[in-house]
Amino acid sequence: MSQHRQPGAPGRAGAVPALPDLPEATVARLPEYLRALHNLADAGHETVSSEGLSAAAGVNSAKLRKDLSHLGSYGTRGVGYDVALLIEQIEYVLGLTQRRAVALVGVGNLGHALAGYDGFASRGFRIAALLDADPSRVGEEINGLVVRHVDELPAVATEESIAIGVIATPAAAAQRVADQLVSVGVTSILNFAPCVLSVPEGVDVRKVDLAIELQILSFHEHRKASLTALPATGGSALTALPGGLAATDTQEAIGT
Amino acid sequence: MSQHRQPGAPGRAGAVPALPDLPEATVARLPEYLRALHNLADAGHETVSSEGLSAAAGVNSAKLRKDLSHLGSYGTRGVGYDVALLIEQIEYVLGLTQRRAVALVGVGNLGHALAGYDGFASRGFRIAALLDADPSRVGEEINGLVVRHVDELPAVATEESIAIGVIATPAAAAQRVADQLVSVGVTSILNFAPCVLSVPEGVDVRKVDLAIELQILSFHEHRKASLTALPATGGSALTALPGGLAATDTQEAIGT
DNA sequence: AGGCGCTTGTGAAGACGTGCACAAATCGCG
DNA sequence: CGCGATTTGTGCACGTCTTCACAAGCGCCT
C-alpha cells in the first residue's frame, strides 16, 4: 500500500524522477529481453524491430513495445531499437551497472550447484560468499571460494557489501537464515527453501520452488489426460471431487 | 506420509473426474497450500480455517477461499477445512495421485543437484532417468541412477512412461533436447536453460531461470536505493536514462 | 430449541495485465 | 522534395486477478 505518487514530476522532458515505477510484469520480462538482446548483439545485429526482439524473447510484440515504452525507451520508428543502447537502458534500470555481491547460504546439493552456476557471473552478479551452518562443510572450497560458517555473516556482509542473499538450506533452517540476513542489512532474498519466509517490510523475497513447478506441470498433464479421456459427456458440471479417492490410483490413464 | 481415509465422507464416489478448469493463478498457488497443509497435518491439526491456512501459505485469506471454492472444496462454515480431505482434493486436482516419472536431461552442475534433490520424491515425482549428451558422463551413477545417453530417450520413454521432461542443459542444447522430448511424446517440460523453447501446441513448457530471479531482485534493490538517495530535491541532475551511461559504474550509490 | 459467534463462499468493484489496431514518426528512394 | 514502406508508441477494449464486504450456514452453549 505504499504507492507514493510524485506530484509535480513532469516526467517527459528533461529530468526524470529516480526510476520509473514499472509494472511488476514488465520488470519480470526485462531480463528476458536483455538476454535476447545480448544474443542479438553477439550475432552482430545493431538494431532490432519489436517484432524480431519479441520473437527472440518469446512474447507478443505489442507487449514488448509497451514494456519498453514504460522505461521511456527510444526506438526509432521505421527502424527499430538500437541493440546496444537498449541493453544499456535495461541494464541500468535493472541496476546491473554495478556488479552485486551475493551471499549463498546453504551449500548442500542445490547450493553446490548454484555456487558453480556460471549464469550468475555472466549476468552481473558475483557470488561473494558461501556459508553453511554445518561445521563439517565449513572450510570446503568450491569454485575458488571457501565455505565459511553462517555465524560469520555479519563480518562477511561488511567485507563484501552483500546486496542479495540466497537461501539454499533445508526448510527448517530457512527462517533463521533469513532473520540473520535481514539483521545484517540484506534487503533482497532469493529463497529456494520450500517454506514461507516472514520478513519485515521493505525486504523483498522471491521464492523458487522446483517441486512447485513440477506440480503445476502435473496439473496440466492431468487435465490434458482427462480431456482426451472424456469425449463430450457434457452432463455433470462442477463435479464433487469425491471424498474417498485415495485408493483410485492412475485414474486418468484408464481410457476404457 | 500416511494417507488416511476420511471418515464421514459420503461414499458417493464414482462421479466422473471432469476437472474444473481452474484459473492459472489458482493452480500456481495450490502446491503452496498443499505444502502448508502437509505441515499442518504433521503438526496434528485436523482442521484449519482459511485464515490459518492462508497465513501458513503466505497469501490473503479471501484469495485462498476463492481458490478453494474453484475446485468445489467443501469447508464447513464456522469450523474450517478438514486438513486430510483438503490434501486429498488438492493432490487429486494436481494429478499427484499417481507418481509421475520425470526424465532429467543434462547432468551438469545443476542437473546433479536436481538429481539429488529429494523434494521431488517427497512430493509425488520420481526421477526415472538421467540423460546426457556427453559420452564421458554416460555411465556415471548418481543417487542410484545410471546416466544414459540422450539418444536412448525413445527407449527410456517407453520403459519408464516418462510424463515430464526436465532440461538442465546449456542453452545451446536445450532446443534440440526439447525436440527430442516432444518427439517421444512428452508434453510437459520444465526448462532450466536460459533460452526460449519453441514447441508444438499442446506441449506445456515452464521455465525457471535463476539469473532472472536475481535480476528482478536487483531491480528492486536499485529502486530502493534510488528512493532513499533522493529525498526531495526535485532537481536531481542524474537519471533521465541518458544514452551514454556505460562508463558510469555504481551509479545509484551517489547520495550527495 | 433457539440464539450467538465463527467461518465459509461469493457478488461486486476495482486494479492489473494483455492484445488489437491505428495514428504518428522516420527512413530510403526515385 | 515528396511519397510509400516500415515500425514505434499508445488509446481502448477485454479478460484475468485481487480484495472487500457480507449473507448464508454451521456448531456450540444455554
Side-chain angles (χ1 to χ4, degrees):
Chain A
M1 301 341 182
S2 56
Q3 277 187 328
H4 295 90
R5 205 82 184 107
Q6 307 239 36
R12 277 301 134 235
V16 176
L19 281 180
D21 48 345
L22 311 175
E24 254 319 289
T26 295
V27 174
R29 282 187 294 264
L30 287 182
E32 199 70 51
Y33 303 156
L34 189 56
R35 188 188 48 70
L37 283 165
H38 276 301
N39 286 349
L40 288 168
D42 290 349
H45 290 73
E46 302 219 331
T47 65
V48 64
S49 70
S50 67
E51 203 66 47
L53 181 54
S54 68
V59 303
N60 178 298
S61 72
K63 184 158 35 179
L64 176 128
R65 287 199 299 276
K66 190 154 292 187
D67 283 343
L68 295 187
S69 79
H70 279 126
L71 45 93
S73 159
Y74 295 174
T76 22
R77 303 173 128 130
V79 176
Y81 299 90
D82 181 292
V83 172
L85 176 59
L86 200 47
I87 287 177
E88 278 182 18
Q89 289 186 318
I90 294 180
E91 286 188 342
Y92 169 71
V93 168
L94 290 180
L96 301 177
T97 50
Q98 61 171 305
R99 175 162 284 252
R100 292 180 191 273
V102 175
L104 171 57
V105 186
V107 196
N109 230 324
L110 182 59
H112 255 87
L114 295 176
Y117 183 50
D118 51 358
F120 293 151
S122 69
R123 288 197 261 172
F125 299 93
R126 182 174 67 90
I127 297 196
L130 303 179
L131 303 159
D132 204 300
D134 183 348
S136 74
R137 283 220 176 89
V138 173
E140 184 182 352
E141 181 175 327
I142 304 173
N143 238 31
L145 271 179
V146 176
V147 177
R148 301 172 67 172
H149 193 274
V150 67
D151 289 341
E152 294 187 56
L153 190 55
V156 170
T158 51
E159 285 168 25
E160 302 283 357
S161 304
I162 299 297
I164 299 177
V166 176
I167 300 180
T169 67
Q175 180 64 58
R176 187 152 38 88
V177 170
D179 294 342
Q180 290 176 290
L181 285 170
V182 169
S183 74
V184 300
V186 172
T187 57
S188 294
I189 296 177
L190 179 55
N191 178 30
F192 286 91
C195 63
V196 182
L197 296 182
S198 70
V199 295
E201 194 158 352
V203 176
D204 276 308
V205 176
R206 290 191 68 83
K207 186 179 163 194
V208 174
D209 188 325
L210 309 177
I212 284 185
E213 301 299 324
L214 284 187
Q215 288 174 334
I216 295 172
L217 283 174
S218 174
F219 167 80
H220 291 294
E221 198 65 24
H222 189 191
R223 202 168 60 87
K224 278 184 277 194
S226 79
L227 285 183
T228 56
L230 304 182
T233 53
S236 65
L238 288 194
T239 43
L241 295 183
L245 48 78
T248 63
D249 233 11
T250 65
Q251 190 137 14
E252 74 201 29
I254 47 157
T256 313
Chain B
M1 274 301 128
S2 58
Q3 287 191 340
H4 291 316
R5 295 258 302 275
Q6 189 45 42
R12 187 204 161 283
V16 178
L19 287 180
D21 48 347
L22 311 175
E24 255 317 291
T26 296
V27 174
R29 282 187 295 264
L30 287 182
E32 199 70 51
Y33 302 156
L34 188 55
R35 188 189 49 71
L37 284 164
H38 276 301
N39 285 349
L40 288 167
D42 289 349
H45 291 74
E46 304 218 330
T47 65
V48 64
S49 69
S50 66
E51 203 66 48
L53 181 53
S54 68
V59 303
N60 180 299
S61 73
K63 182 154 42 177
L64 177 127
R65 287 198 299 275
K66 187 149 291 188
D67 283 342
L68 295 186
S69 79
H70 279 126
L71 43 92
S73 159
Y74 293 173
T76 5
R77 295 167 190 233
V79 177
Y81 298 91
D82 182 293
V83 172
L85 176 59
L86 198 47
I87 287 176
E88 279 183 17
Q89 289 186 318
I90 294 180
E91 285 187 343
Y92 169 72
V93 168
L94 290 179
L96 301 177
T97 49
Q98 60 170 306
R99 177 163 283 251
R100 292 179 192 273
V102 175
L104 171 58
V105 185
V107 196
N109 230 324
L110 182 59
H112 256 89
L114 295 176
Y117 183 50
D118 50 357
F120 293 151
S122 69
R123 289 196 262 172
F125 299 92
R126 183 174 65 91
I127 296 195
L130 304 179
L131 303 160
D132 204 300
D134 183 349
S136 73
R137 283 219 175 91
V138 172
E140 184 182 352
E141 181 175 328
I142 304 173
N143 238 31
L145 269 180
V146 176
V147 177
R148 301 171 67 173
H149 193 273
V150 68
D151 288 340
E152 295 188 55
L153 190 55
V156 170
T158 51
E159 286 169 25
E160 302 282 357
S161 304
I162 299 297
I164 298 176
V166 175
I167 299 179
T169 67
Q175 180 62 59
R176 188 153 37 89
V177 170
D179 294 342
Q180 289 175 293
L181 284 169
V182 168
S183 74
V184 301
V186 172
T187 57
S188 294
I189 295 177
L190 180 55
N191 178 30
F192 286 91
C195 64
V196 183
L197 296 182
S198 70
V199 295
E201 195 158 351
V203 177
D204 276 308
V205 176
R206 290 191 69 84
K207 185 180 165 195
V208 174
D209 187 324
L210 309 178
I212 283 185
E213 300 299 324
L214 283 188
Q215 289 173 337
I216 295 172
L217 283 175
S218 175
F219 167 80
H220 291 295
E221 197 67 22
H222 188 191
R223 203 169 61 85
K224 279 184 277 194
S226 78
L227 285 183
T228 56
L230 309 180
T233 51
S236 162
L238 77 148
T239 57
L241 300 182
L245 49 76
T248 63
D249 236 7
T250 65
Q251 188 135 14
E252 75 197 26
I254 49 139
T256 316

